Amino acid sequence: MTYRKKLIEVALPLEAINMESAREKSIRHGHPSTLHLWWARRPLAACRAVLFASLVDDPSSWPEKFPTEEAQNAERQRLFDILGRITIQTDKKGNTKQVIRGLVSWNDINDANSGVLIAAQREIARSIAWNRGDEPPTEPEEVRRYLAENAPPVYDPFAGGGSIPLEAQRLGLEAHASDLNPVAVLINKALIEIPPKFKDMPPVNPEAQAKLKVNQWKGAQGLAEDVRYYGKWMRDEAEKRIGHLYPKVKLPSEKGGGEATVIAWLWARTVKCPNPACGCEMPLVRSFALSTKKGKENWIEPTIDRSQSIPVVKFGVKSGGGEVPEGTVGRKGAVCIACGTPVSLDYIRREGRAKRMGTKLMAIVAEGRSERVYLQPNEEHEKIAASAQPNWKPEADLPNNPRDFKTPNYGMTTFADLFTSRQLLALTTLSDLLEVTRKKIIEDCTNQEYANSLAVYLAFAVNKTAVFMSTICIWSSSSKNELVITSFARQAIPMTWDFAEASLFCNSSGNFEGSADWVAKACTFLPTEQVGKVVQRDAQQAFLEKDIFISTDPPYFDAISYADLSDFLYIWLRSSLKTLYPDLFKTLLVPKTEELVVNQFRFDGSKTKAQQFFQQGLEHVFHQIRKAAQLEYPINIYYAVKQTENEDDLNSGSSVIASTGWETMLEGLLGAEFIISGTLPMRTERPTGVKSGSNVLASSIVLVCRPRPAAAPSTTRRRFVDELKSELPDALKKLQQGNIAPVDLAQASIGPGMAIFSRYAKVLESDGSPMRVRTALQLINQTLDEFLAEQEGEFDTDTRWALAWFEQYQFNEGQFGDAETLSKAKNTSIKGMAEAGILTAKAGKVQLVPRDALPKDWNPAKDNRIPVWEATQHLIRALDQNGETGAAHLLSQLGNLGEVARDLAYRLYSICDRKGWTQEAIAYNSLVISWSEINRLALEEKPQSQQLNLF
């Protein structure tokens, strides 16, 4: 089939898209991601950009309209400006920052005066009209009507958190979504199916009706207002029923006296000390710190009462200067605070499984006038908490998933075990009140469908409360945020020792009214122009839709056990909504048998069987996609799996990197006879997470796919390798120029590499057998390694020596003789490098100078020998200590050394990643992902008169 190339297959303004996608992760109030918890959501900005660029023709596809390369470039730039452009904004103090404008900007799409949405819709309509031979519409209503009648429906068979269908609907397209998981289905219904049904409808609650103004409510604003009102009504009714279980606490006179609302009760789990001479109920405490804010430090001070035969641990609260006691439990075991006896985790597990693990109140956190107030435990409060008697418990067993669920090791085997009695009573009370509230809404408006829809959003508020109301939650003593941390701080249910029990009626994380308000704010910004369609369906089933445009984000191999994790949320949704959605909640827990993930625990521990299930299922899905897709439009596949598996290459005998996750996905894609026509690294994580958290991916790779022509030729391994070496380096240079994070470079290189591999029906080995995808991935990674190694030729001799030494010793000492031999091979000298300041040589030992030992007053203008190594290490230290501004100031003095320093960071990251030096790898990764802003700030500084050169 012949087709016109789309913009996504030629070029995109990736820097603007990625900057806004990364920034979006920090947008909270009103963002659709805050409607309900889901894992690994794709940023809306990236989804919006991919959809737009997949539907709009590239100017090169219309030579009759844009006959010259200059005309095509000008038209492409115009489309880029609509999609996303970087502008500089200056505040009143003269400070500048980069701001993204255009379709990818969250601010612009929610600004009715920006016009970005209609501009984008107009471009989509124009491309469709040109291909149909129609006159393109121009007026907004005509454009929307034309898209509704002629644009292809967009379908995501793995809808998950709903980012793709939501953005399709926002662009004026008919959005279809499906998922096997009932929680995901309900999220998508709340995002794209429910809001359009009540477009521009005013709120029905009595308070709003009393002051209603004509045409005051637009889009889903009325719906949001009702969520807020009835959420508060539910909260007030809950307080009438169980408010006595959440008593206030008396404040000491130095804190203002009187009574205060409790924010959280902080508890420690306990087990009996195994020492027969002790036998106390020993607390298991991760940290005794309550607040680490400078000048306002608070901590728990444990004391031992030995007046009885068995020691009793008591807790007080201290503030001001002093040493915070160390925690009593860690990964290797615990210690009895009364007698000092070491206690193994095995003992604690046995006690937990025997139901002999208890809890003890350590402290109370209350609302002060302008700060948190920390108080010692209160016996009355402890008794009140113990008096709660829930009328129902979610007794379903936790999943058999030891990787992600740790509590069963300690006897907490059911979902009910994850909650205190008071937490269970609070959540069951809210679930019961949901039906009462739904009936009240019907009384207020006589519209049962609307009442049922509002019940969905209020059930989401119950779930938002539930994730802050389990014994997995901990207290954050951070100087920035002193609050309860959600049960899902990561994609797992870990074992926690000390935990924070949030108050249902406070003004902090975990309170129900606040949860309802979060949901209401998210509703406010949902699109309502186009009706969406959502169904529960296994993606392996035949698609009901035909001639559709498919954009999807399939599961990432074994990275996330969606069904297992969402059981936590499902139990409360089912408790509230099973009569309204009986088909969706017909099972006790989320369906798991058909879920397309690699979960060996569902296959009697066999990872091989789990991988076979995943590969066969995914290939079947891709066959269904090929049958249903409208071939005029490319298919988008989001994927994000880090390559981490080392394997010996049978041909060379050397160790290479391959990835079962990537191999399995690509096998399915190529088995369905697709080729990769484009590849885009889309930033999906906040830079701060990549800098300070762990060595994880910052991007998803979007694979743009087309059906492979029936007449596609075969080729040989030799020719494939030659084409890799010829074409891949240019693609890698473009990725580096776009400041792709080093942690993502290996993943991003798969796209252009597999584009070469997939253009052939077969790549034949020397014995005539077809090359495996795994072999192709190994060859792609080998070519990447060669590319990075070849870049060493751009570095000065000192830097090449430092690279070789670093790879062997990092910043540790090595023998002088070895260093001397290496220096001769690299055509440099130990003395010269010592004078340059990159190493120290004494007592027969040589060591690269660590960053923290570099001179703080280093001035490049006064240094006549600056290896790229030295410049790079100084830039990283400046970034770490003084942020992007400090690094920019240094970069402005380095002249043309800067770009080479960035290239060196890629090479150093590659070495660290291979060696497993995670913390050191993060340093080089951070420099590159911050480079765009560092460079911009550097250009604003006065240029230096001296042009520094490579030594």
Side-chain angles (χ1 to χ4, degrees):
M1 166 180 184
T2 59
Y3 53 82
R4 298 187 190 274
K5 272 194 172 184
K6 301 300 177 183
L7 186 63
I8 197 170
E9 296 173 289
V10 178
L12 283 181
L14 279 178
E15 187 172 7
I17 296 168
N18 287 338
M19 284 178 62
E20 188 65 11
S21 295
R23 186 185 80 88
E24 189 180 302
K25 288 284 183 174
S26 62
I27 299 173
R28 304 303 297 156
H29 293 282
H31 195 273
S33 64
T34 63
L35 184 69
H36 192 279
L37 172 65
W38 192 255
W39 299 271
R41 286 180 195 263
R42 297 308 98 207
L44 304 185
C47 295
R48 205 155 52 244
V50 167
L51 290 166
F52 172 83
S54 299
L55 292 164
V56 172
D57 294 336
D58 186 75
S60 63
S61 294
W62 291 95
E64 61 270 42
K65 297 180 183 294
F66 309 101
T68 66
E69 185 175 347
E70 183 180 14
Q72 291 171 14
N73 288 336
E75 173 64 8
R76 195 175 292 122
Q77 185 59 53
R78 187 184 71 83
L79 295 173
F80 286 180
D81 288 343
I82 292 172
L83 189 51
R85 62 191 184 279
I86 302 173
T87 62
I88 305 301
Q89 193 174 82
T90 305
D91 62 20
K92 294 179 180 178
K93 296 181 179 179
N95 299 317
T96 63
K97 65 176 180 178
Q98 289 182 317
V99 177
I100 309 302
R101 305 303 305 270
L103 182 64
V104 297
S105 167
W106 173 250
N107 294 337
D108 281 1
I109 64 165
N110 290 298
D111 180 358
N113 299 318
S114 72
V116 296
L117 270 177
I118 190 58
Q121 291 168 346
R122 191 178 286 117
E123 294 304 324
I124 297 171
R126 186 181 74 158
S127 285
I128 294 171
W130 280 358
N131 282 285
R132 289 171 54 88
D134 297 340
E135 184 67 26
T138 57
E139 295 301 315
E141 287 305 318
E142 292 177 356
V143 169
R144 295 188 188 103
R145 185 165 52 251
Y146 189 85
L147 289 176
E149 295 172 356
N150 299 293
V154 178
Y155 177 43
D156 182 358
F158 295 104
S163 294
I164 294 171
L166 175 66
E167 293 313 305
Q169 189 180 65
R170 198 187 305 276
L171 288 172
L173 309 169
E174 183 182 314
H176 294 250
S178 68
D179 205 290
L180 177 66
N181 193 309
V183 178
V185 172
L186 203 63
I187 291 172
N188 278 270
K189 283 182 177 292
L191 287 171
I192 69 170
E193 194 172 85
I194 294 174
K197 294 180 180 179
F198 309 106
K199 177 177 179 270
D200 299 339
M201 178 175 162
V204 302
N205 70 78
E207 188 177 280
Q209 285 287 316
K211 51 184 179 181
L212 195 62
K213 295 180 181 179
V214 179
N215 298 327
Q216 178 184 358
W217 306 95
K218 301 294 182 183
Q221 291 177 352
L223 179 73
E225 186 62 25
D226 278 333
V227 171
R228 188 174 288 108
Y229 174 87
Y230 289 107
K232 185 178 185 307
W233 188 87
M234 276 181 66
R235 181 261 183 218
D236 293 344
E237 289 298 307
E239 188 169 30
K240 292 176 185 177
R241 298 186 181 192
I242 59 172
H244 62 283
L245 293 174
Y246 292 86
K248 291 182 181 292
V249 66
K250 293 181 180 179
L251 294 180
S253 57
E254 63 269 21
K255 295 294 183 180
E259 289 188 326
T261 300
V262 173
I263 293 173
W265 291 269
L266 307 185
W267 302 83
R269 301 190 201 276
T270 64
V271 294
K272 184 179 179 180
C273 175
N275 180 359
C278 178
C280 81
E281 283 299 312
M282 50 177 274
L284 304 170
V285 181
R286 166 189 54 92
S287 170
F288 285 108
L290 295 172
S291 170
T292 58
K293 189 175 293 184
K294 191 172 182 180
K296 296 184 178 180
E297 295 87 352
N298 286 268
W299 70 92
I300 296 168
E301 182 77 11
T303 57
I304 312 300
D305 181 354
R306 303 185 185 276
S307 62
Q308 302 178 45
S309 58
I310 297 177
V312 176
V313 180
K314 296 184 177 181
F315 300 106
V317 171
K318 298 288 185 178
S319 61
E323 186 174 344
V324 180
E326 291 187 4
T328 64
V329 66
R331 292 184 176 182
K332 295 183 179 179
V335 62
C336 176
I337 200 169
C339 68
T341 298
V343 181
S344 70
L345 289 180
D346 283 342
Y347 172 80
I348 297 171
R349 292 180 184 122
R350 290 196 301 271
E351 290 295 285
R353 289 194 290 268
K355 303 301 179 184
R356 291 193 290 267
M357 185 177 286
T359 58
K360 187 174 181 64
L361 186 61
M362 293 195 298
I364 299 173
V365 188
E367 295 178 359
R369 292 179 179 175
S370 59
E371 62 181 356
R372 304 286 193 247
V373 177
Y374 297 95
L375 304 168
Q376 65 186 25
N378 182 307
E379 187 176 343
E380 180 185 357
H381 279 236
E382 200 160 4
K383 289 180 179 178
I384 290 173
S387 71
Q389 297 295 320
N391 54 15
W392 176 79
K393 295 181 179 181
E395 297 285 8
D397 289 337
L398 290 163
N400 175 28
N401 183 344
R403 185 192 74 172
D404 298 328
F405 290 78
K406 302 300 184 184
T407 63
N409 292 333
Y410 299 88
M412 299 164 62
T413 58
T414 71
F415 282 97
D417 293 333
L418 302 181
F419 305 90
T420 68
S421 294
R422 179 161 54 185
Q423 288 172 333
L424 287 171
L425 181 57
L427 294 170
T428 53
T429 298
L430 290 172
S431 296
D432 293 343
L433 277 169
L434 194 62
E435 177 59 19
V436 177
T437 308
R438 188 183 71 86
K439 291 178 179 178
K440 174 175 170 53
I441 297 168
I442 294 174
E443 291 175 3
D444 290 340
C445 71
T446 69
N447 187 332
Q448 184 168 330
E449 184 181 14
Y450 185 65
N452 293 349
S453 297
L454 278 179
V456 170
Y457 297 103
L458 293 172
F460 283 7
V462 175
N463 263 9
K464 290 183 79 67
T465 301
V467 299
F468 282 100
M469 198 164 283
S470 81
T471 63
I472 305 305
C473 299
I474 61 173
W475 181 254
S476 170
S477 61
S478 163
S479 58
K480 291 183 178 179
N481 298 303
E482 300 166 55
L483 42 73
V484 177
I485 299 294
T486 170
S487 305
F488 292 99
R490 58 190 181 91
Q491 293 157 180
I493 295 289
M495 182 61 188
T496 56
W497 304 110
D498 49 290
F499 63 90
E501 183 184 10
S503 172
L504 191 63
F505 307 111
C506 69
N507 186 27
S508 185
S509 54
N511 80 92
F512 180 73
E513 187 177 355
S515 297
D517 190 55
W518 277 97
V519 174
K521 287 175 180 175
C523 288
T524 304
F525 295 98
L526 296 178
T528 56
E529 294 296 333
Q530 183 70 271
V531 176
K533 299 177 182 178
V534 185
V535 296
Q536 183 185 22
R537 184 193 302 158
D538 181 355
Q540 298 180 68
Q541 296 176 356
F543 293 177
L544 303 176
E545 302 80 4
K546 300 295 179 185
D547 294 326
I548 49 179
F549 164 40
I550 295 176
S551 184
T552 192
D553 184 20
Y556 300 152
F557 198 63
D558 62 351
I560 302 171
S561 296
Y562 298 92
D564 290 347
L565 293 170
S566 56
D567 276 341
F568 183 101
L569 308 167
Y570 179 86
I571 56 174
W572 299 112
L573 289 175
R574 186 174 187 269
S575 174
S576 304
L577 301 173
K578 61 186 175 185
T579 58
L580 300 182
Y581 293 93
D583 291 337
L584 204 57
F585 295 106
K586 61 187 176 186
T587 56
L588 186 63
L589 293 172
V590 172
K592 297 180 177 64
T593 303
E594 303 89 351
E595 185 189 31
L596 272 182
V597 294
V598 176
N599 188 329
Q600 67 192 73
F601 308 110
R602 296 177 193 165
F603 294 87
D604 298 322
S606 173
K607 194 163 187 177
T608 300
K609 290 181 180 178
Q611 290 175 3
Q612 290 173 347
F613 166 78
F614 180 77
Q615 180 176 335
Q616 292 168 3
L618 204 56
E619 184 171 337
H620 191 65
V621 172
F622 289 140
H623 278 289
Q624 298 293 350
I625 287 175
R626 175 147 187 167
K627 291 176 185 177
Q630 188 174 132
L631 301 182
E632 181 182 342
Y633 302 96
I635 291 152
N636 311 143
I637 308 291
Y638 293 74
Y639 210 61
V641 175
K642 190 171 188 285
Q643 298 191 83
T644 57
E645 300 174 19
N646 289 288
E647 182 177 278
D648 290 335
D649 180 37
L650 297 178
N651 295 295
S652 66
S654 60
S655 180
V656 295
I657 296 289
S659 167
T660 305
W662 271 104
E663 177 191 9
T664 304
M665 195 278 293
L666 290 167
E667 287 280 12
L669 198 60
L670 300 180
E673 299 184 345
F674 282 106
I675 63 171
I676 297 169
S677 61
T679 178
L680 305 161
M682 292 287 189
R683 183 71 54 79
T684 57
E685 303 302 329
R686 283 176 288 183
T688 51
V690 181
K691 287 180 187 176
S692 59
S694 60
N695 200 21
V696 297
L697 291 180
S699 300
S700 293
I701 310 303
V702 181
L703 300 177
V704 185
C705 305
R706 294 276 192 178
R708 188 171 62 223
S714 297
T715 193
T716 64
R717 177 187 178 113
R718 186 186 197 95
R719 183 172 177 183
F720 171 58
V721 171
D722 288 345
E723 290 181 358
L724 274 179
K725 292 182 177 180
S726 172
E727 298 179 34
L728 192 57
D730 184 58
L732 294 171
K733 286 177 184 175
K734 289 179 179 176
L735 287 170
Q736 287 184 335
Q737 288 165 3
N739 293 325
I740 184 171
V743 70
D744 295 325
L745 187 60
Q747 281 60 240
S749 68
I750 290 174
M754 290 307 298
I756 299 170
F757 183 79
S758 65
R759 72 174 61 141
Y760 297 106
K762 293 179 182 178
V763 174
L764 300 175
E765 298 280 14
S766 56
D767 62 0
S769 62
M771 180 181 287
R772 297 167 56 207
V773 168
R774 169 158 289 234
T775 304
L777 287 172
Q778 291 172 350
L779 291 171
I780 291 167
N781 281 301
Q782 285 176 353
T783 307
L784 170 62
D785 286 343
E786 291 169 5
F787 167 78
L788 292 172
E790 286 172 4
Q791 283 190 323
E792 289 188 22
E794 301 175 14
F795 305 142
D796 54 89
T797 55
D798 289 356
T799 298
R800 291 203 293 272
W801 179 92
L803 267 171
W805 188 261
F806 177 81
E807 189 165 5
Q808 187 170 358
Y809 297 101
Q810 209 197 75
F811 289 104
N812 300 314
E813 290 183 339
Q815 295 296 324
F816 182 89
D818 295 338
E820 180 74 10
T821 301
L822 180 62
S823 70
K824 291 177 180 178
K826 298 295 183 182
N827 197 27
T828 184
S829 69
I830 300 299
K831 181 180 179 182
M833 289 186 287
E835 291 172 352
I838 70 170
L839 62 78
T840 57
K842 56 184 178 181
K845 301 289 185 179
V846 172
Q847 179 183 15
L848 285 167
V849 177
R851 280 189 296 277
D852 58 7
L854 291 171
K856 296 179 180 179
D857 57 349
W858 184 63
N859 184 350
K862 297 180 179 179
D863 192 338
N864 58 10
R865 180 169 177 160
I866 307 178
V868 177
W869 175 275
E870 184 179 23
T872 304
Q873 301 301 335
H874 274 287
L875 280 167
I876 292 172
R877 194 182 74 163
L879 176 64
D880 183 53
Q881 295 186 354
N882 303 307
E884 291 164 341
T885 302
H889 177 69
L890 180 57
L891 179 61
S892 69
Q893 303 174 63
L894 286 172
N896 60 359
L897 280 180
E899 293 296 324
V900 189
R902 185 192 62 177
D903 291 344
L904 177 60
Y906 279 103
R907 180 60 176 151
L908 286 166
Y909 174 85
S910 175
I911 293 171
C912 293
D913 189 43
R914 188 170 63 249
K915 294 282 190 177
W917 300 337
T918 301
Q919 289 304 312
E920 186 66 15
I922 289 172
Y924 304 113
N925 197 60
S926 301
L927 180 65
V928 175
I929 62 177
S930 303
W931 192 262
S932 178
E933 181 65 6
I934 292 171
N935 193 48
R936 182 190 72 80
L937 292 170
L939 291 173
E940 291 182 357
E941 294 207 18
K942 183 178 179 181
Q944 302 297 305
S945 57
Q946 179 184 5
Q947 184 72 15
L948 299 175
N949 294 307
L950 290 171
F951 173 71

